[in-house]
Amino acid sequence: MNMGDINITGGELDSQGDMVFGGKHVHLPPQAPEWHPPKQMLNVLPTFVGRQRALQDLATLGAIGVTTPRFLIAGVGGLGKTSLAAQITHEIKSRFTGGILLAEIPTVDVFLKLGEWAELYDGDVTKIQGVNQRADRVRDIIQQRVGTKRVLAVLDGVVDESDDAKLAPLLRALRDCAVIVTSRARQLAAIPDAWLIQLEQLNDEETWQLFVRVTRNDTRLENQRAHVLEIGELVECLPMALDLAAHQLADNSSWSVAYLRGLLQDEIRQLEILHWGGDESERGIRALIRISYKRLTADEQTFLDALGAFAGIDFDAHAAAAVCETDFETARKRLAKLRRISVIQESAAPERYKLHALMRAFTRENLRAAKTDSAAQLRMATYYCDIARENGDKLDGSEIDNALAILEAEIANISAGQKWARENETREARELTRDYIAGGKTGAMTHYFSLRANWAEWIEWSEYGIAACRALDDERGEGAIVGNLGLVYADKGEWDKAIEFYQQSLVTKERVGDVQGMAQTFNNLGLVYADKGEWDKAIELYQQSLEISERLGDVVGISITEWNIGELYEKQGKLDEAIRMMERAIIVHERIGHWEAPKNRAHLQELKRKLE
């Protein structure tokens, strides 16, 4: 019967849902249920703070007149990528009248997820077995159901490029949709045209606000902002780590902020503290890091663990090759991969890398478990001691600028290597402690500390070096370091103390037969007496240095001493003798590229003009 032929005005519905009109029951077809767009939403984190710049960028999603973009939110694990995706989705959900879809990549079954999305839009793809064919049909179903209405999809938790196989068919189905992908990888082949949002650590104000929110402004936070910010520094302001630390404070009523800070200062306990709940594998930093770690090959895991030996600000591929016992090209490629998947980070300087503090704690934990930590740190300390020795010797020649730049770039690593060496009592460690201050021709870091007027560290390293020499029964090394301490006090203008150390050094060098060392020390003593204004005594000491250098055939030593004698003759008004000495010295200075050669040549020419 054609329902259009029946006038049902004034009819009533019976208990079966049929229309009753004039005693006749007319069966009505079932009414289709009202369709509502899906809202598959991530849960908003109540402690979410900051990220204003990223939120502003993401807010262009669904904006009128803006082409539907695709965003890739990238960063290390625990940086808050999922929280950011959840926050922006809730803030702009009203724009997406066609619905919001979600796929959690670590656990998703792509085939089933496509079927689920089809059902949400009143479609059926159960008979389509090919994944790409199913994705294409899902796209058509969504278009048929919502037309030009906007749809937003969030693909959350991509670890690295190995997840591209899951992403590709999902993105194929979402070709007409706005998409947010969260990933530890900065580059994904499946979404090459994405707008990258690279998340950074929280700033000080955001760190403080996060602690306040998690602890609900606990009274224990009163006047503790500085300590909270120190906790932030310890975990490099990683949001998840801060959240876990704050939860530990909230859960342990007897703890103070200072006590929590003390626990986190212990690298061995850091990862133990930074978890929440009874099982740290459920929500903890160690479990979070393991997600990426398990995706690496065994060789890559060993390589990454060895990087835990670094304790400076950053490092380059040459250092990584030495510490990880591999060749440069292999190290370079592995570093590039680890950076691409956010396991390590790029430093501010080109082609230099760094580990997040918590990743370093994780890798060192692995080194300790494998009992390879000491060997890796020995390789690290040895590598940077060699850097110090090689470039320290160049600080008085033509390569001074480049050598100084290298030492400046590596000073944090050199300091870390020296610190490790002095804290260990093996023979290798003691030799390194000595060589960091006395190695090479000029004494490794000695000249650097002199140029930088870094007296305190120079003295400290020298004292550790002397102790190491005594443990090694190395009198020659001890004499060299004691002599260099004389340089420290001479530079500081403490003449009597400088003379005391130089004289001690002379005794030791004479006893061990270090004749060349004696020549250097006589020259240095002459410099002190010259600065004191005792010129005759200074010339006497220079002559002793010159006599030894001539006997040894040490051309460089001769030229340095001759220049010093020439300067004193000039002060005494003996210009002819001064010029004679300086002319002989400048020839050698220019030949070896001494860093003061240009200045000395100009001074000599000025002196000649005066004599004329």
Side-chain angles (χ1 to χ4, degrees), residues 30 46 51 65 137 166 169 197 281 321 327 380 415 424 435 487 518 522 531 566 577:
R51 305 304 193 198
R137 180 57 186 145
K166 290 183 177 182
I197 294 181
S281 66
D327 61 272
M380 179 275 295
S415 296
N424 287 269
D435 292 346
L487 280 174
M518 290 176 65
F522 277 125
D531 287 336
E577 294 179 70

Side-chain angles (χ1 to χ4, degrees), residues 301-530:
Q301 289 177 351
T302 301
F303 181 87
L304 174 60
D305 289 342
L307 296 180
F310 290 106
I313 297 172
D314 55 17
F315 54 87
D316 62 16
H318 291 285
V323 172
C324 300
E325 297 184 293
T326 189
D327 61 272
F328 173 77
E329 276 303 311
T330 299
R332 186 182 62 80
K333 291 176 181 177
R334 286 180 178 169
L335 289 171
K337 176 182 178 179
L338 293 175
R339 171 190 169 273
R340 191 170 64 253
I341 61 176
S342 297
V343 172
I344 64 174
Q345 300 164 281
E346 188 176 28
S347 179
E351 297 189 74
R352 292 183 72 86
Y353 305 89
K354 60 183 179 179
L355 270 69
H356 190 281
L358 299 176
M359 178 62 78
R360 183 182 295 116
F362 177 86
T363 55
R364 288 186 176 181
E365 187 175 73
N366 292 342
L367 287 175
R368 287 192 295 272
K371 297 182 179 179
T372 57
D373 52 325
S374 293
Q377 288 177 310
L378 174 61
R379 292 194 296 272
M380 179 275 295
T382 301
Y383 177 83
Y384 287 113
C385 185
D386 289 343
I387 291 288
R389 294 170 61 170
E390 177 185 350
N391 291 282
D393 284 344
K394 297 176 182 178
L395 292 182
D396 60 354
S398 59
E399 298 178 78
I400 179 172
D401 291 339
N402 183 58
L404 194 56
I406 292 172
L407 292 175
E408 292 285 17
E410 303 293 4
I411 186 61
N413 288 310
I414 291 169
S415 296
Q418 192 269 354
K419 182 176 183 294
W420 178 86
R422 76 192 195 199
E423 291 176 353
N424 287 269
E425 297 181 354
T426 64
R427 182 172 186 84
E428 296 96 332
R430 284 170 172 157
E431 288 173 347
L432 287 172
T433 303
R434 172 198 65 199
D435 292 346
Y436 265 108
I437 196 67
K441 298 177 182 177
T442 60
M445 294 299 287
T446 296
H447 203 47
Y448 174 84
F449 289 144
S450 177
L451 288 172
R452 290 290 177 255
N454 192 344
W455 320 128
E457 201 161 11
W458 189 354
I459 292 170
E460 180 186 27
W461 286 33
S462 296
E463 289 173 346
Y464 279 109
I466 290 169
C469 286
R470 289 173 179 170
L472 293 166
D473 196 24
D474 178 10
E475 282 192 288
R476 180 180 289 267
E478 180 180 348
I481 298 173
V482 169
N484 285 338
L485 274 175
L487 280 174
V488 179
Y489 292 105
D491 284 353
K492 291 178 70 177
E494 298 181 27
W495 315 127
D496 291 340
K497 204 157 189 177
I499 291 169
E500 177 187 344
F501 276 106
Y502 282 140
Q503 288 176 338
Q504 288 181 27
S505 178
L506 273 176
V507 171
T508 303
K509 289 173 179 177
E510 186 174 15
R511 183 167 62 246
V512 300
D514 182 6
V515 181
Q516 189 168 36
M518 290 176 65
Q520 294 170 348
T521 304
F522 277 125
N523 184 73
N524 290 336
L525 269 170
L527 288 171
V528 173
Y529 280 102

Side-chain angles (χ1 to χ4, degrees), residues 103-320:
E104 296 179 290
I105 300 303
T107 57
V108 73
D109 181 313
V110 173
F111 205 72
L112 296 178
K113 176 58 71 172
L114 290 170
E116 173 193 313
W117 285 351
E119 290 179 10
L120 290 173
Y121 287 89
D122 288 343
D124 182 4
V125 293
T126 54
K127 294 182 180 179
I128 301 176
Q129 298 303 310
V131 68
N132 286 335
Q133 291 80 3
R134 179 172 282 210
D136 290 338
R137 180 57 186 145
V138 169
R139 179 195 182 195
D140 293 340
I141 289 170
I142 293 174
Q143 279 297 301
Q144 290 168 8
R145 176 35 115 173
V146 300
T148 59
K149 293 179 180 179
R150 300 170 186 274
V151 177
L152 170 65
V154 177
L155 309 182
D156 183 48
V158 176
V159 176
D160 54 37
E161 62 265 27
S162 63
D163 284 327
D164 278 347
K166 290 183 177 182
L167 280 179
L170 295 176
L171 290 167
R172 189 182 181 109
L174 299 167
R175 274 176 290 181
D176 304 311
C177 306
V179 179
I180 297 174
V181 177
T182 70
S183 174
R184 299 186 183 195
R186 295 162 49 96
Q187 302 170 0
L188 293 169
I191 187 169
D193 57 344
W195 184 343
L196 177 65
I197 294 181
Q198 180 70 44
L199 289 190
E200 302 295 338
Q201 285 82 8
L202 299 182
N203 61 35
D204 286 354
E205 181 58 29
E206 292 165 346
T207 295
W208 170 249
Q209 288 300 324
L210 180 57
F211 249 78
V212 169
R213 292 189 184 186
V214 172
T215 62
R216 299 182 181 181
N217 205 17
D218 193 301
T219 56
R220 287 174 291 171
L221 293 185
E222 292 181 7
N223 302 317
Q224 295 298 304
R225 181 184 172 95
H227 284 168
V228 168
L229 296 185
E230 287 178 16
I231 289 173
E233 290 179 5
L234 289 170
V235 300
E236 293 188 15
C237 295
L238 189 72
M240 182 177 178
L242 289 167
D243 183 85
L244 292 168
H247 271 95
Q248 288 284 24
L249 182 68
D251 195 47
N252 292 275
S253 58
S254 64
W255 290 11
S256 65
V257 178
Y259 181 75
L260 174 61
R261 179 199 59 184
L263 291 175
L264 292 172
Q265 285 175 327
D266 183 353
E267 183 183 272
I268 294 177
R269 296 198 63 187
Q270 269 186 342
L271 300 182
E272 172 193 335
I273 297 298
L274 294 174
H275 74 90
W276 180 247
D279 184 357
E280 69 177 79
S281 66
E282 294 179 4
R283 187 165 185 255
I285 295 298
R286 186 185 284 112
L288 187 72
I289 293 174
R290 280 178 180 158
I291 293 172
S292 295
Y293 189 77
K294 288 180 179 179
R295 297 290 186 99
L296 302 175
T297 66
D299 286 344
E300 290 169 342
Q301 289 177 351
T302 301
F303 181 87
L304 174 60
D305 289 342
L307 296 180
F310 290 106
I313 297 172
D314 55 17
F315 54 87
D316 62 16
H318 291 285

